[in-house]
């Protein structure tokens, strides 16, 4: 049973479209994250939610809107997609903020 | 200067070698340190987690933290081809819910 699952695994879409990525964790963790990994493998935090409350928003364009309906789910909606949004987006979870993360397998987004 | 620096590699070693992977950092407030392994097209997987300075060993893996030098290392003994992956360091000041990642070192272990 997958601990952190993301859907879809691959997403190819045209510029200007709106898309969503879903994430669910079954570990009982209280904190969830979205990270973006660029083509050079650099992982950068975008958002963090603790018990459904937004606690980190790292200067991400407001075209990106996270939503956490409950502490087991964290979704990412992206409006007006741009070429520069092409990357792999990873969801992760942890119990409190200072413990190790469990990552999902990633969503590879390609904007054409 | 980036907060966390890591040599991108690639680092190629023969099977059975001892591998040393390193990160340096600039923020003296960092207290929590992690090493992740990432296989191609997969999510990062937590390997080692240490708090503050010192050593931690788990099987063939040893993590070292030297806070005075702002330097952390991951040693892999008796390296195997299955260890071929990208290794990412990550660190946090604590209480921030945010880990800063290095750019990763690509390791190839040749059979």
């Amino acid at each position: 049973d997958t601990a952190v699952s993301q859907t879809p695994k691959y997403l190819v879409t045209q510029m200007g479209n709106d898309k969503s990525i879903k994430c669910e964790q079954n570990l009982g963790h209280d904190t969830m994250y979205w990270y973006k990994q660029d083509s050079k493998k650099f992982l950068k935090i975008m958002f963090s939610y603790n018990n459904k409350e937004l606690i980190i928003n790292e200067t991400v364009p407001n075209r990106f809107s996270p939503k956490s309906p409950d502490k087991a789910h964290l979704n990412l909606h992206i409006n007006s997609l741009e070429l520069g949004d092409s990357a792999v987006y990873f969801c992760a979870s942890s119990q409190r903020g200072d413990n190790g993360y469990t990552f999902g397998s990633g969503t590879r987004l390609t904007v054409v | 200067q980036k907060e966390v620096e890591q040599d991108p590699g690639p680092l190629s070693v023969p099977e059975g070698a001892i591998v040393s992977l390193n990160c340096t950092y600039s923020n003296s407030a960092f207290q929590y340190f992690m090493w992740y392994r990432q296989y191609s097209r997969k999510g990062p997987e937590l390997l080692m987690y240490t708090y503050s300075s010192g050593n931690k060993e788990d099987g063939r893996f040893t993590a070292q933290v030297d806070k005075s030098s702002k330097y952390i290392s991951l040693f892999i003994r008796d390296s195997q081809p299955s260890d071929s992956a990208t290794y990412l360091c990550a660190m946090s000041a604590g209480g921030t819910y945010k880990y800063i990642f290095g750019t990763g070192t690509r390791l190839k272990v040749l059979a």
Side-chain angles (χ1 to χ4, degrees):
Chain A
D1 204 16
T2 307
V4 179
S5 58
Q6 291 178 233
T7 53
K9 287 179 89 69
Y10 300 95
L11 194 47
V12 181
T13 188
Q14 290 190 323
M15 273 173 42
N17 282 353
D18 302 340
K19 289 293 176 188
S20 291
I21 307 172
K22 294 187 175 184
C23 179
E24 176 182 1
Q25 56 97 0
N26 62 8
L27 298 165
H29 288 167
D30 61 5
T31 309
M32 295 184 73
Y33 310 81
W34 279 110
Y35 273 82
K36 179 180 179 180
Q37 189 171 48
D38 62 23
S39 56
K40 292 191 162 92
K41 293 282 199 182
F42 182 56
L43 264 170
K44 190 169 176 7
I45 192 166
M46 300 172 69
F47 300 104
S48 175
Y49 271 75
N50 177 256
N51 283 319
K52 302 194 299 173
E53 287 198 32
L54 180 67
I55 50 172
I56 293 175
N57 181 342
E58 282 286 303
T59 58
V60 176
N62 57 15
R63 298 182 296 104
F64 290 79
S65 50
K67 280 196 173 44
S68 182
D70 56 60
K71 71 174 193 176
H73 294 85
L74 180 62
N75 304 323
L76 184 66
H77 187 75
I78 316 170
N79 289 327
S80 305
L81 277 154
E82 300 177 357
L83 292 176
D85 298 331
S86 296
V88 182
Y89 291 84
F90 285 101
C91 178
S93 71
S94 71
Q95 184 56 24
R96 296 188 294 278
D98 296 326
N99 294 327
Y101 295 165
T102 302
F103 279 89
S105 54
T107 296
R108 187 171 293 271
L109 172 66
T110 304
V111 183
V112 297
Chain B
Q1 184 193 2
K2 285 184 182 166
E3 275 191 287
V4 179
E5 299 273 5
Q6 190 174 4
D7 187 332
L11 178 62
S12 292
V13 301
E15 184 175 357
I18 296 175
V19 176
S20 171
L21 303 164
N22 311 296
C23 287
T24 57
Y25 62 94
S26 56
N27 187 343
S28 56
F30 287 152
Q31 315 181 62
Y32 297 87
F33 304 92
M34 297 193 286
W35 284 96
Y36 284 86
R37 176 176 62 197
Q38 186 175 21
Y39 292 114
S40 183
R41 299 199 168 242
K42 299 283 187 190
E45 169 197 6
L46 181 64
L47 273 180
M48 301 287 281
Y49 171 81
T50 49
Y51 169 69
S52 196
S53 282
N55 292 359
K56 185 173 182 178
E57 191 173 318
D58 184 1
R60 296 185 296 114
F61 299 90
T62 300
Q64 280 186 356
V65 174
D66 181 349
K67 289 186 70 181
S68 61
S69 303
K70 299 194 186 72
Y71 188 89
I72 70 170
S73 301
L74 178 71
F75 296 96
I76 308 174
R77 286 183 299 284
D78 187 25
S79 56
Q80 303 295 310
S82 57
D83 294 327
S84 298
T86 297
Y87 289 79
L88 299 146
C89 64
M91 43 198 85
S92 167
T96 64
Y97 292 87
K98 181 169 79 171
Y99 273 83
I100 308 298
F101 280 79
T103 48
T105 299
R106 195 151 60 94
L107 171 68
K108 287 181 167 185
V109 180
L110 306 168

